[in-house]
Amino acid sequence: MILCYLDLRKKHSYLYKRVEIDFTTIPSGQYVTVLPQRHHDGSVIVLYELGKWNPEELSFEDFKKITRLIYYKELRNPVTQVTGFRIIYDFANTGYQHLKYCTPMNMYLLYHASFECVPGKYLELHCINTNYVLSTLLICAKPFLVESVRKILYFHSSVDELLKYFPRSILPIKYGGTLTDYYMADYMKRANEEQGDFPAGGLKNLF
């Protein structure tokens, strides 16, 4: 994994640079966030609302940078190192403008950077509001998925099914929870600032 990580840094060094715009102030930049509260087991919950991303407002290169920086920030926290991640992918309002980026090369990069270069513990991957974009993505990604990843994939026909896996108090209202303000703008700004100074050997552990 270390060798894969170093190789990724050489081939895709831009992923380890900060986003030069304040993406937290535009709708397209708010497509992903860490939810304010952790799961009862201590794991971090990451929410992707992919339909918010507009490629004309936020470049695909910045999209990839933002997608990565959360994990590098969180893995500096010993609690997250032990408890891991739970991820929710919301495909509502996704369409052709997103589908054209679901190429086999991009899907492989996403999988490779997430599961083969980052020592993260992934507990659950939940997909909601599924549509043809997700179907196409899965077709492209299926050859790369190992059995351990397939076991943690959950596809829900209704957002209410998330309540079987998450307490109501930590989910946004639109998913049957009680959270009204859940986008962590300050957190994302700090993560971006730290990412700009991320050396190959890692930052000092501040915790």
Side-chain angles (χ1 to χ4, degrees):
M1 183 171 286
I2 292 174
L3 292 175
C4 287
Y5 164 77
L6 294 174
D7 184 62
L8 183 69
R9 284 190 68 105
K10 291 179 181 179
K11 294 180 179 178
H12 302 276
S13 59
Y14 65 91
L15 290 174
Y16 300 89
K17 297 178 181 179
R18 66 166 56 95
V19 179
E20 296 301 329
I21 63 172
D22 186 1
F23 60 86
T24 65
T25 62
I26 58 176
S28 284
Q30 298 177 13
Y31 72 91
V32 59
T33 188
V34 168
L35 292 183
Q37 295 180 332
R38 291 174 178 260
H39 196 271
H40 59 72
D41 64 2
S43 58
V44 172
I45 304 172
V46 183
L47 171 63
Y48 286 87
E49 298 172 277
L50 298 169
K52 288 185 175 181
W53 175 50
N54 181 353
E56 295 182 0
E57 187 177 44
L58 182 75
S59 71
F60 185 49
E61 183 172 288
D62 284 344
F63 175 89
K64 289 186 285 186
K65 290 179 184 178
I66 297 170
T67 298
R68 300 258 53 80
L69 61 85
I70 287 179
Y71 300 98
Y72 291 118
K73 176 175 176 56
E74 274 301 322
L75 283 173
R76 296 176 63 210
N77 188 331
V79 175
T80 305
Q81 293 170 18
V82 174
T83 58
F85 299 89
R86 282 180 163 80
I87 306 175
I88 300 173
Y89 296 100
D90 185 352
F91 287 86
N93 301 315
T94 54
Y96 176 74
Q97 64 174 344
H98 305 98
L99 180 62
K100 64 183 180 181
Y101 292 98
C102 298
T103 65
M105 182 178 296
N106 286 336
M107 291 302 98
Y108 173 73
L109 177 61
L110 173 64
Y111 175 83
H112 179 63
S114 300
F115 297 102
E116 297 177 339
C117 301
V118 176
K121 181 180 179 181
Y122 299 96
L123 303 175
E124 296 170 352
L125 308 175
H126 297 271
C127 298
I128 57 177
N129 295 318
T130 57
N131 55 24
Y132 70 92
V133 173
L134 174 61
S135 300
T136 304
L137 188 153
L138 288 175
I139 291 173
C140 294
K142 190 174 182 179
F144 312 117
L145 297 180
V146 296
E147 183 62 25
S148 59
V149 175
R150 293 175 184 171
K151 287 182 178 180
I152 60 176
L153 271 173
Y154 297 88
F155 302 94
H156 303 293
S157 58
S158 169
V159 297
D160 293 335
E161 293 181 9
L162 289 176
L163 295 175
K164 298 178 181 179
Y165 302 88
F166 302 94
R168 191 181 298 274
S169 61
I170 64 178
L171 287 177
I173 288 178
K174 63 180 180 179
Y175 303 131
T178 59
L179 282 180
T180 55
D181 184 15
Y182 58 89
Y183 181 68
M184 303 273 282
D186 290 340
Y187 172 97
M188 297 300 293
K189 287 179 181 178
R190 289 198 304 272
N192 187 44
E193 291 171 359
E194 292 174 4
Q195 182 77 344
D197 300 318
F198 199 85
L203 293 171
K204 293 182 178 180
N205 195 332
L206 303 179
F207 296 90

